[in-house]
Amino acid sequence: MTTADPPAAVSAAELRRRLDVLPRFHLTDLPTPLHELPNLSRRLGGPRILMKRDDLTQSGLGGNKNRKFQFEVGAALAQGCDVLVWGGGVMQSNHARQCAAAARRAGLDAVLVLNEGPHGRDMQGNRLLLELLGADVRATGRDGMFGHEADLAAVVDELRRAGRRPFVVEYGPLTAVGYAECLLEIHEQCAALGVEAAHVYAASGGGTQAGLELGNRVLAAGCTIRGYSPLDVEGGRTAQQAALARASAELLGLPLTIEPGDIWNSSAFVGPAYAAATPEGMDAIRLVAETEGVFLEPVYTGKAFAGLLHDVRQGRLTADDTVVFVHTGGTPLLFAYARELSESPRP
Ligand SMILES: Cc1ncc(COP(=O)(O)O)c(C=O)c1O
């Protein structure tokens, strides 16, 4: 820590103690591994690259939302609920797949209210896994990422009338607290490697970055965080991320001052639309697979990694830097995008 760094609001042990107060259902062993990508660093002649393997969280083929669902399922069980209900996103949603898998692990049902979205009708990728999980999928018949509210309210009402006890998964503080813990793990794992302050990259337009920002500030970890949003919305994502970080801090009883302008989040690599495969994203997928045997995917992590590669090529990241890329999962999407990927050129 340099003298310019703000004092830590809490120690690592205190942050852990506060997280432990929240009801949590075991979905994965933590910490997730932090792996070196030496072949890729060599190929780029660039920074030391470490990958935080949140794709290896253990429930339902992994991914970032398992950190969230530990707490959502914990709360659902504490309230005596018997079905998780989520309305949001599209048929190929990673969030939906991890929701349904978490519900099954806990002996609960899952009802998912979903828009169609790209590859929504293909029995592949996440859509296929929802089928195997026996999730009750309710199609809104709409496209796009938003506008589920009325359908969701009707489903919750229907379940209550049928005598069920639904737990509605919301976009609240439980969305982000798990990523404060992820930052804590990164901080400790980097310290064990002798790395002081890493450049942290992640695909996020919401809770992942909100939680990382929270952890970084309360621990005064000194990381620089760059988030790459999977979608381009007017005004960007930072107002919502700052609000989520503040709500999570409040839940944990921690002081936090954060404004949208304090967060760096870019939609530069989204391409023409949410979930549209881009040449830069597919290049990144191929490069990481060919050098390290690790799979990214075209909707989130490939686009964020394209942002990281851009920063290396522009000289923003040099051989003296250490980068942590948070691999947030999404692996099943590779199969939904088999055609786009197999037709993309080798870099
Ligand atoms: C693989 C993957 N990465 C990143 C994200 C971004 O998460 P968030 O915007 O909630 O931080 C998602 C969201 O669904 C995802 O599925």
Side-chain angles (χ1 to χ4, degrees):
M1 195 167 102
T2 68
T3 47
D5 288 327
V10 293
S11 64
E14 179 63 13
L15 178 53
R16 280 220 164 80
R17 198 187 61 71
R18 286 171 191 246
L19 286 161
D20 286 347
V21 171
L22 302 174
R24 184 188 311 221
F25 181 77
H26 184 268
L27 289 175
T28 186
D29 299 341
L30 295 174
T32 54
L34 186 69
H35 288 159
E36 292 268 4
L37 304 187
N39 306 325
L40 180 59
S41 292
R42 249 194 317 277
R43 173 82 75 94
L44 296 172
R48 182 179 190 184
I49 304 176
L50 304 166
M51 186 176 268
K52 179 68 172 160
R53 299 300 302 271
D54 274 23
D55 57 321
L56 301 181
T57 55
Q58 291 153 340
S59 176
L61 288 185
N64 59 343
K65 298 300 187 288
N66 283 332
R67 289 194 187 262
K68 165 181 173 147
F69 281 109
Q70 306 170 99
F71 298 110
E72 299 282 356
V73 173
L77 294 176
Q79 292 170 31
C81 296
D82 62 359
V83 51
L84 294 190
V85 188
W86 182 59
V90 294
M91 291 289 173
Q92 286 292 350
S93 158
N94 296 310
H95 185 288
R97 182 240 319 154
Q98 287 164 95
C99 179
R104 290 315 196 195
R105 277 277 281 259
L108 307 175
D109 290 326
V111 182
L112 302 161
V113 180
L114 303 172
N115 290 351
E116 185 162 309
H119 296 294
R121 293 189 183 189
D122 299 351
M123 224 6 117
Q124 245 305 358
N126 287 314
R127 180 69 191 87
L128 173 63
L129 299 177
L130 290 180
E131 192 66 17
L132 299 182
L133 289 160
D136 182 352
V137 175
R138 306 291 182 94
T140 64
R142 276 189 307 276
D143 227 338
M145 285 292 279
F146 303 108
H148 304 70
E149 293 79 6
D151 298 279
L152 174 63
V155 166
V156 171
D157 193 46
E158 173 201 313
L159 289 165
R160 289 209 174 105
R161 277 189 280 109
R164 303 297 304 270
R165 293 185 303 281
F167 180 89
V168 180
V169 175
E170 285 175 351
Y171 206 59
L174 294 181
T175 304
V177 283
Y179 272 87
E181 183 167 36
C182 180
L183 195 290
L184 167 55
E185 293 171 16
I186 291 170
H187 184 51
E188 291 182 336
Q189 289 168 319
C190 281
L193 294 171
V195 175
E196 268 201 16
H199 298 267
V200 177
Y201 282 67
S204 175
T208 305
Q209 187 173 7
L212 293 172
E213 300 282 352
L214 168 61
N216 195 34
R217 280 172 176 72
V218 298
L219 295 169
C223 298
T224 52
I225 301 174
R226 283 167 90 87
Y228 286 87
S229 175
L231 73 168
D232 193 5
V233 293
E234 197 166 340
R237 305 295 294 168
T238 55
Q240 188 173 41
Q241 290 177 320
L244 271 178
R246 282 195 295 265
S248 302
E250 196 177 330
L251 182 71
L252 296 172
L254 292 172
L256 178 74
T257 311
I258 187 166
E259 299 301 330
D262 300 329
I263 298 175
W264 192 98
N265 186 271
S266 168
S267 55
F269 288 87
V270 171
Y274 167 75
T278 59
E280 296 86 354
M282 290 191 287
D283 282 356
I285 293 169
R286 285 184 176 277
L287 180 64
V288 175
E290 284 188 12
T291 52
E292 297 289 350
V294 172
F295 296 110
L296 305 173
E297 49 66 42
V299 180
Y300 300 94
T301 53
K303 291 179 180 179
F305 212 93
L308 190 162
L309 293 174
H310 176 80
D311 282 355
V312 175
R313 288 169 183 147
Q314 295 297 307
R316 188 187 164 267
L317 296 169
T318 70
D320 296 333
D321 291 315
T322 300
V323 179
V324 174
F325 181 80
V326 183
H327 191 330
T328 45
T331 314
L333 287 171
L334 281 174
F335 305 100
Y337 285 76
R339 186 184 51 75
E340 291 91 329
L341 285 163
S342 61
E343 289 174 1
S344 70
R346 294 181 74 160

